[in-house]
Amino acid sequence: MDADSDVALDILITNVVCVFRTRCHLNLRKIALEGANVIYKRDVGKVLMKLRKPRITATIWSSGKIICTGATSEEEAKFGARRLARCLQKLGFQVIFTDYKVVNVLAVCNMPFEIRLPEFTKNNRPHASYEPELHPAVCYRIKSLRATLQIFSTGSITVTGPNVKAVATAVEQIYPFVFESRKEIL
Amino acid sequence: MASTSRLDALPRVTCPNHPDAILVEDYRAGDMICPECGLVVGDRVIDVGSEWRTFSNDKATKDPSRVGDAQNPLLSDGDLSTMIGKGTGAASFDEFGNSKYQNRRTMSSSDRAMMNAFKEITTMADRINLPRNIVDRTNNLFKQVYEQKSLKGRANDAIASACLYIACRQEGVPRTFKEICAVSRISKKEIGRCFKLILKALETSVDLITTGDFMSRFCSNLCLPKQVQMAATHIARKAVELDLVPGRSPISVAAAAIYMASQASAEKRTQKEIGDIAGVADVTIRQSYRLIYPRAPDLFPTDFKFDTPVDKLPQL
């Protein structure tokens, strides 16, 4: 059964996670006292700084490593990271923006049909794993793209991958398999 | 002990016809046989018969021919070790009344964790009355996982519980995670995690669970007659075939089917009772029941005797 390849599937990117380093030690206490919109988690040793403009949350460690989550696109993640670095610079640290890398992209996609999960698992044995007692979705891993897809019976699919392109490719790859095990609307 | 000459390289006995032939030893009977002519030269040099005779009418609490426990060669590295036993007689106690040689030095330290795990597995299996073949399979799985060392950081009990779960699945008699949880001290989350890791480590996969696997167990625990059990099995199977319950765990569907079948028969069971046995919340049963209720007449088997007719089934 040939899948309709020009079906426009909206892939909505919900989260982009990136990391970068400031090549200097950061005084968390100073950031906690002087910075705006910060939460100091002393027991773990990190500071959470939430930015409003690109809505992101950054986890800052004293070593200078910063993880930035909550962005909705790769560019936004970069802007947010840079804005954050500027914030820290204004607080007086000698910040150098290095090693910026997008680590994880989470996207959601909705299929126009429902999916039969047991049938899908049987057809895709090694890659798909389904444990209804543990989680209601089938977990499908694409090793070559390092992407993981969670396929629900309602037809919505959650994809996580290392970058946006991998996520898009993953959805394209999974479409024919999911199309095979779809539930026809009577 | 006598100063025999060093040139005694030849064996003491030789075949009379072939003095140069090197005798072959038959290990079974301890004979020395000449390879040239087949003459048995030395008879029963080493006797492999038993040292003591045992008669069937003896008390047989002690079999003097047997030394040590039954071997478990498949699993541990063989039980060949020696322990120092508790002393008898006065000489084994030192001045304070403590026994000398206190520590019966534990054997096979490399496998001590494994043997501990085997004991734990047997205890767990015993609690839910699992047959020996499942326990053996679990032991084998545990040994494989343990030797691979890829899950070394995890608690041994967690790995044992997960192995037990996998063994039950592989034997075709799956137990729910909650049932395994009930006999183990490990949380369901941890068992689930270990389960996935073990499948990846051993590169195996397991079949999907079906509603029918649990019917006989749940129904017997609820003391439901065979008719009700068969009806419930039929209902659950039909419900899954018609895909009335997408995304619901087979256990919940099975529980709802049992509820429907029991409510239609003389032996009614409440949702709470069924939920208790199946390990499902009664709201979950309610949800699944609501999904199968509209098609109730189609789901029952054709030869089912209704105590409560289909239209009078409770609607929740």
Side-chain angles (χ1 to χ4, degrees):
Chain A
M1 214 174 298
D2 235 22
D4 199 9
S5 50
D6 39 348
V7 157
L9 279 174
D10 293 322
I11 306 176
L12 205 72
I13 304 177
T14 51
N15 193 17
V16 176
V17 179
C18 64
V19 296
F20 68 94
R21 307 179 95 113
T22 66
R23 280 220 176 266
C24 72
H25 178 91
L26 298 171
N27 187 349
L28 294 184
R29 209 162 159 270
K30 185 167 173 215
I31 300 175
L33 292 171
E34 295 173 21
N37 304 317
V38 286
I39 305 167
Y40 187 18
K41 290 200 174 202
R42 191 152 155 249
D43 39 335
V44 205
K46 55 188 183 189
V47 166
L48 295 175
M49 187 184 282
K50 299 197 196 207
L51 253 57
R52 283 211 191 105
K53 205 37 186 325
R55 195 170 277 280
I56 53 170
T57 306
T59 310
I60 306 168
W61 269 274
S62 58
S63 61
K65 190 154 176 203
I66 301 181
I67 299 184
C68 207
T69 62
T72 52
S73 76
E74 281 189 355
E75 293 102 50
E76 213 181 273
K78 189 106 189 235
F79 287 152
R82 280 202 182 271
R83 190 159 286 172
L84 194 61
R86 183 92 185 107
C87 245
L88 293 172
Q89 208 171 47
K90 284 209 182 117
L91 287 171
F93 299 104
Q94 299 291 344
V95 166
I96 308 173
F97 191 81
T98 43
D99 292 339
Y100 172 81
K101 186 169 182 266
V102 166
V103 176
N104 191 22
V105 173
L106 174 74
V108 172
C109 181
N110 230 310
M111 296 288 151
F113 44 77
E114 292 186 12
I115 303 165
R116 287 184 212 275
L117 297 184
E119 200 187 304
F120 179 80
T121 336
K122 280 198 192 85
N123 296 339
N124 295 281
R125 246 322 154 67
H127 301 286
S129 92
Y130 179 39
E131 272 309 309
E133 286 186 81
L134 296 177
H135 192 59
V138 175
C139 180
Y140 189 101
R141 280 183 211 274
I142 303 178
K143 223 169 168 185
S144 53
L145 298 167
R146 283 178 295 135
T148 308
L149 298 103
Q150 289 191 2
I151 302 152
F152 290 85
S153 61
T154 53
S156 81
I157 299 181
T158 307
V159 195
T160 68
N163 50 53
V164 178
K165 197 152 172 299
V167 161
T169 325
V171 175
E172 278 174 34
Q173 273 192 18
I174 198 84
Y175 188 81
F177 298 126
V178 167
F179 193 76
E180 270 177 25
S181 318
R182 74 189 179 289
K183 190 151 76 148
E184 303 281 7
I185 307 168
L186 296 155
Chain B
M1 298 292 172
S3 52
T4 46
S5 86
R6 293 270 170 83
L7 302 167
D8 214 19
L10 293 169
R12 287 259 200 89
V13 289
T14 51
C15 173
N17 304 328
H18 308 97
D20 289 329
I22 299 175
L23 298 178
V24 168
E25 189 178 318
D26 176 12
Y27 60 88
R28 176 62 192 85
D31 304 336
M32 306 282 272
I33 303 176
C34 169
E36 308 274 327
C37 61
L39 183 73
V40 175
V41 181
D43 190 24
R44 295 234 198 112
V45 173
I46 298 170
D47 182 10
V48 299
S50 60
E51 195 177 341
W52 305 95
R53 297 179 298 170
T54 37
F55 299 103
S56 54
N57 55 357
D58 266 355
K59 289 308 163 41
T61 42
K62 274 195 220 177
D63 186 357
S65 307
R66 291 195 175 275
V67 190
D69 238 352
Q71 254 195 335
N72 211 347
L74 295 162
L75 303 179
S76 317
D77 280 333
D79 270 328
L80 304 168
S81 60
T82 306
M83 294 198 293
I84 299 174
K86 261 204 304 210
T88 55
S92 66
F93 294 98
D94 63 10
E95 43 198 27
F96 296 110
N98 304 324
S99 50
K100 293 184 193 174
Y101 292 121
Q102 279 162 328
N103 287 348
R104 317 172 75 193
R105 276 270 162 253
T106 38
M107 35 140 168
S108 65
S109 54
S110 63
D111 289 325
R112 202 178 325 149
M114 209 155 75
M115 287 186 53
N116 228 345
F118 291 158
K119 202 171 92 175
E120 191 62 39
I121 289 170
T122 319
T123 317
M124 283 197 294
D126 195 45
R127 291 193 187 122
I128 37 176
N129 300 320
L130 288 174
R132 189 72 215 165
N133 61 337
I134 294 186
V135 177
D136 288 337
R137 196 181 268 265
T138 314
N139 286 345
N140 272 317
L141 283 169
F142 186 88
K143 179 175 194 204
Q144 282 178 33
V145 167
Y146 191 75
E147 284 180 345
Q148 245 205 23
K149 293 199 194 300
S150 46
L151 277 89
K152 199 167 174 204
R154 302 268 170 191
N156 268 345
D157 283 345
I159 303 180
S161 307
C163 285
L164 188 62
Y165 178 82
I166 296 176
C168 292
R169 270 266 206 130
Q170 285 180 338
E171 290 282 329
V173 284
R175 298 289 186 273
T176 62
F177 274 109
K178 291 194 175 161
E179 287 174 316
I180 304 284
C181 244
V183 298
S184 164
R185 67 177 178 91
I186 310 288
S187 68
K188 177 173 178 251
K189 196 152 75 151
E190 185 60 29
I191 300 181
R193 272 198 217 124
C194 288
F195 165 74
K196 284 188 214 151
L197 288 172
I198 293 176
L199 285 187
K200 197 156 81 147
L202 299 179
E203 285 178 17
T204 31
S205 67
V206 285
D207 287 330
L208 288 176
I209 51 176
T210 57
T211 50
D213 298 330
F214 304 97
M215 278 303 171
S216 71
R217 212 159 357 111
F218 291 165
C219 290
S220 328
N221 285 342
L222 290 162
C223 308
L224 290 171
K226 191 88 181 5
Q227 284 288 59
V228 180
Q229 178 185 322
M230 280 170 37
T233 315
H234 188 270
I235 294 173
R237 200 185 64 228
K238 261 296 170 62
V240 172
E241 269 174 33
L242 299 171
D243 209 5
L244 302 171
V245 282
R248 298 271 159 201
S249 166
I251 320 286
S252 321
V253 177
I258 294 177
Y259 180 70
M260 185 180 267
S262 76
Q263 288 294 328
S265 74
E267 299 274 330
K268 294 188 179 15
R269 298 281 179 271
T270 62
Q271 287 181 340
K272 194 166 179 315
E273 285 174 351
I274 301 177
D276 245 344
I277 299 283
V280 181
D282 60 337
V283 286
T284 313
I285 303 181
R286 213 172 297 160
Q287 292 284 13
S288 305
Y289 182 77
R290 281 200 194 117
L291 290 170
I292 60 175
Y293 182 75
R295 299 287 296 267
D298 305 325
L299 299 174
F300 275 98
T302 41
D303 53 350
F304 184 70
K305 287 194 186 55
F306 285 91
D307 193 80
T308 315
V310 192
D311 39 344
K312 294 255 179 28
L313 280 175
Q315 196 176 20
L316 304 141

